[in-house]
Structure formats: structure tokens, C-alpha cells
């Protein structure tokens, strides 16, 4: 199988820099609040940068403990999604076999691997969606027969417009279908 007959595009999932940043921030904040609440309960300082052991457990310590549990839970969830690389995968277009394969990683369980395959003949066009403003959206879709659309790009951080154009043009040229939306 020659390389020119297969186009594979990797899709970045939860292992983005922003998730590492937010995971670190929520871990520090959650553990800090948790230790502050426990310090007020045990009347013993557990933090090196502040003394919260003098706080009354009710109501200040309870509130700190509550925020610490919520923050630590959010950090745990964020790190698990990064570890499992939720949303990561690839798009594979095989002209020799005449198939398109879309693969993504999901949450653990019986449906952890999300895989969609269909014939290349069903592809009508590649559609680019660009929305600017407060919440920008830049995504590529495969338009299929029967009005179906399959997203091809990652969710979350919008990709650069030039990268979207290049990726869409490369895919449309490879599949010999029109590029819509640009």
C-alpha cells in the first residue's frame, strides 16, 4: 500500500497544554483549601505559607473543607481525562480500500473506543465552519449522503484559520470532493 493512497490525520484530545495548566491550578487550589479546612479542624497548621489553625471549624473550616473537596474532585477529573486522552484519535482516509475510518478515545467502559467506518463513496464534500466572536468555532466536517455530517477536528481550542484552510484543502484534494464554507 503506497503512502499516497492513505491520508491519516491525528486528532489531539484532552492532552492539551490548557488542560495541564488547569489541572495544575485546580490541584494546587483544591489541596490548599482542603489542608486549610483540616488545619482548622485539628487546630494544627498543615500549610507552610499560612496559618489557618486558628480559624473556627464551624463555619470557616467547613467552608474551606467544602471548597477543598470540590476543587480536588475537579482536579482529579481533569487529570483522569488527560490520562485517558478523551477525544484523541485519528481520521484515516484509505483510497485503496475505499474507506474512511474515524477513531476517538472515550471514557473507560465497554464503549471506550469509538470507531466509525464508512465507504469513501458516501463523502459528498468537506465543510469548514468558521464562527468568530466571543466564543469562536473553527471546525472541519465531512458531509455525507443523507444529510449526515461527521466532525473531523478537535473540540475545545479553535485551530488557527490558516491551519483549518490547509487541512481542509489537503483533505478535499485527496478525496477529490469540493471544499465548502471558506
Amino acid at each position: 500500500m503506497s503512502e499516497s493512497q492513505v491520508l491519516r490525520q491525528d486528532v489531539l484530545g484532552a492532552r492539551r497544554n490548557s488542560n495541564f495548566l488547569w489541572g495544575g491550578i485546580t490541584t494546587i487550589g483544591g489541596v490548599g483549601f482542603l489542608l486549610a479546612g483540616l488545619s482548622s479542624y485539628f487546630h494544627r497548621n498543615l500549610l507552610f505559607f499560612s496559618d489557618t489553625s486558628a480559624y473556627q471549624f464551624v463555619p470557616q473550616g467547613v467552608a474551606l473543607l467544602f471548597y477543598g473537596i470540590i476543587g480536588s474532585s475537579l482536579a482529579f477529573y481533569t487529570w483522569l481525562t488527560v490520562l485517558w486522552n478523551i477525544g484523541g484519535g485519528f481520521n484515516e482516509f484509505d483510497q485503496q480500500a475505499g474507506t474512511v475510518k474515524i477513531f476517538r478515545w472515550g471514557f473507560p467502559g465497554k464503549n471506550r473506543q469509538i470507531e466509525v467506518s464508512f465507504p469513501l463513496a458516501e463523502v459528498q464534500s468537506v465543510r469548514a465552519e468558521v464562527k468568530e466572536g466571543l466564543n469562536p468555532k473553527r471546525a472541519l466536517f465531512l458531509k455525507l449522503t443523507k444529510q449526515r455530517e461527521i466532525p473531523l477536528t478537535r473540540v475545545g481550542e479553535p485551530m488557527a484559520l490558516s491551519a483549518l484552510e490547509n487541512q481542509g484543502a489537503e483533505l478535499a484534494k485527496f478525496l477529490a470532493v469540493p471544499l465548502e464554507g471558506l
Side-chain angles (χ1 to χ4, degrees):
M1 181 177 351
S2 79
E3 198 171 315
S4 64
Q5 293 200 349
V6 176
L7 176 65
R8 183 180 168 118
Q9 300 172 331
D10 291 325
V11 177
L12 182 65
R15 292 186 181 155
R16 296 189 307 254
N17 291 336
S18 61
N19 285 345
F20 283 103
L21 176 71
W22 286 113
I25 289 171
T26 55
T27 299
I28 291 168
V31 170
F33 276 107
L34 195 63
L35 289 176
L38 290 174
S39 292
S40 72
Y41 179 76
F42 292 120
H43 299 293
R44 182 177 185 162
N45 189 27
L46 299 174
L47 295 170
F48 66 90
F49 56 87
S50 177
D51 186 9
T52 57
S53 62
Y55 290 171
Q56 292 182 359
F57 182 67
V58 177
Q60 291 104 341
V62 171
L64 290 170
L65 205 54
F66 173 76
Y67 291 135
I69 290 170
I70 297 299
S72 297
S73 300
L74 183 61
F76 184 69
Y77 172 78
T78 302
W79 288 118
L80 283 179
T81 59
V82 168
L83 176 71
W84 293 327
N85 196 22
I86 304 300
F90 61 87
N91 308 321
E92 188 174 85
F93 307 93
D94 189 345
Q95 288 181 336
Q96 185 175 4
T99 60
V100 175
K101 181 178 177 182
I102 310 292
F103 177 84
R104 301 289 186 274
W105 287 108
F107 286 98
K110 67 179 183 174
N111 296 324
R112 167 102 166 104
Q113 296 181 6
I114 302 160
E115 188 174 327
V116 178
S117 294
F118 49 89
L120 268 174
E122 286 189 24
V123 178
Q124 290 181 333
S125 66
V126 176
R127 185 175 72 83
E129 183 176 330
V130 178
K131 290 182 183 174
E132 299 297 337
L134 189 60
N135 191 17
K137 181 179 182 182
R138 297 182 189 131
L140 284 178
F141 295 88
L142 268 187
K143 283 183 76 173
L144 306 176
T145 56
K146 299 181 185 177
Q147 304 289 327
R148 296 184 303 166
E149 289 190 350
I150 308 262
L152 297 176
T153 51
R154 66 184 187 224
V155 177
E157 301 171 349
M159 63 190 326
L161 192 54
S162 61
L164 180 79
E165 289 173 348
N166 291 340
Q167 188 176 356
E170 176 190 15
L171 181 58
K173 182 179 175 185
F174 182 81
L175 297 175
V177 297
L179 175 61
E180 300 175 355
L182 287 177

